[in-house]
Amino acid sequence: MIRIKEAIIVEGRYDVNKLKQLVDTIVIETGGFSIFNNKEKLQLIRQIAQQRGILILTDSDGAGFVIRNYLKGAIPKERVRHAYIPQIEGKERRKSKGSKEGTLGVEGVPDQVILDSLYRAGVTVITDSAPAHQPITKADFYAWGLSGGKGSAVRRQELLKALHLPSHMTANALLEFINAVADYEQVKELLQCIDE
């Protein structure tokens, strides 16, 4: 497994599962074409791009390029890298029939093909021996009063406001964002400031 700086944007949840087995970074799913109407997710992607850069890895079919081009136009070009997988004929094992174009998507291509595409895109590999930052979990959110308890919605709104994030952002989206741009101690300190 390689550790990289950039967050990776993929189309679907099976792509997320595949990438999380290969790289140690934030992997965000667009939900396919739903990204076109999801302003909250687009804002999240823009903020992550500003903090650490993003790498777009979509399927090599027409739909993948439509999504890629949409994101390319929505994010400053200096914050985006592109990884491309080759068009390999076939279908994913979990599907009963192949895609419209008859090619494998990100989830179906061999691991080494994906890793090679990441290296060709020029990802920033983190090679230091320092451990990855402590991820913030749903249990941390509960312990900090951000979810699952009385007043958690209000507390979460205060945190969203402090981070200059959309007020309609879900707890899961907030958790994903925080893990992409901050560490455990930074969030604890921010919550202490909110409490004062």
Side-chain angles (χ1 to χ4, degrees), residues 6-62:
E6 296 83 5
I8 300 177
I9 311 298
V10 294
E11 291 179 56
R13 70 177 181 261
Y14 292 101
D15 301 333
V16 171
N17 294 341
K18 174 87 167 191
L19 267 291
K20 286 195 179 259
Q21 296 172 31
L22 302 175
V23 293
D24 179 7
T25 193
I26 300 297
V27 183
I28 300 170
E29 113 180 59
T30 66
F33 290 145
S34 71
I35 189 66
F36 301 145
N37 299 314
N38 192 335
K39 303 225 180 298
E40 184 177 284
K41 185 162 278 190
L42 184 59
Q43 181 64 23
L44 169 77
I45 291 171
R46 283 180 176 145
Q47 289 185 308
I48 291 171
Q50 190 61 36
Q51 292 286 326
R52 59 192 293 164
I54 62 165
L55 180 126
I56 301 173
L57 178 65
T58 57
D59 295 350
S60 57
D61 59 8

Side-chain angles (χ1 to χ4, degrees), residues 2-182:
I2 62 169
R3 219 172 127 201
I4 65 172
K5 176 184 175 191
E6 296 83 5
I8 300 177
I9 311 298
V10 294
E11 291 179 56
R13 70 177 181 261
Y14 292 101
D15 301 333
V16 171
N17 294 341
K18 174 87 167 191
L19 267 291
K20 286 195 179 259
Q21 296 172 31
L22 302 175
V23 293
D24 179 7
T25 193
I26 300 297
V27 183
I28 300 170
E29 113 180 59
T30 66
F33 290 145
S34 71
I35 189 66
F36 301 145
N37 299 314
N38 192 335
K39 303 225 180 298
E40 184 177 284
K41 185 162 278 190
L42 184 59
Q43 181 64 23
L44 169 77
I45 291 171
R46 283 180 176 145
Q47 289 185 308
I48 291 171
Q50 190 61 36
Q51 292 286 326
R52 59 192 293 164
I54 62 165
L55 180 126
I56 301 173
L57 178 65
T58 57
D59 295 350
S60 57
D61 59 8
F65 276 86
V66 169
I67 293 166
R68 179 186 296 276
N69 288 331
Y70 173 75
L71 291 171
K72 185 166 88 172
I75 298 161
K77 66 180 180 178
E78 67 275 3
R79 306 304 301 160
V80 179
R81 293 183 187 270
H82 294 273
Y84 297 92
I85 58 170
Q87 289 184 304
I88 301 172
E89 290 186 17
K91 73 171 191 65
E92 285 79 11
R93 280 184 260 161
R94 71 175 179 84
K95 295 182 179 177
S96 58
K97 62 179 187 170
S99 70
K100 189 166 111 176
E101 296 180 24
T103 57
L104 294 174
V106 170
E107 71 173 280
V109 298
D111 295 354
Q112 193 58 51
V113 170
I114 290 176
L115 291 172
D116 290 345
S117 72
L118 297 178
Y119 288 124
R120 278 194 308 275
V123 295
T124 308
V125 177
I126 300 169
T127 56
D128 65 8
S129 59
H133 76 277
Q134 178 181 351
I136 299 161
T137 65
K138 288 184 179 185
D140 295 322
F141 263 34
Y142 180 78
W144 293 335
L146 294 169
S147 67
K150 187 177 180 182
S152 60
V154 172
R155 186 160 170 77
R156 202 167 47 252
Q157 285 300 314
E158 291 171 346
L159 181 59
L160 286 167
K161 187 176 180 181
L163 292 168
H164 307 287
L165 293 171
S167 63
H168 296 291
M169 191 177 241
T170 64
N172 286 339
L174 176 59
L175 180 64
E176 188 173 39
F177 173 79
I178 286 175
N179 273 314
V181 300

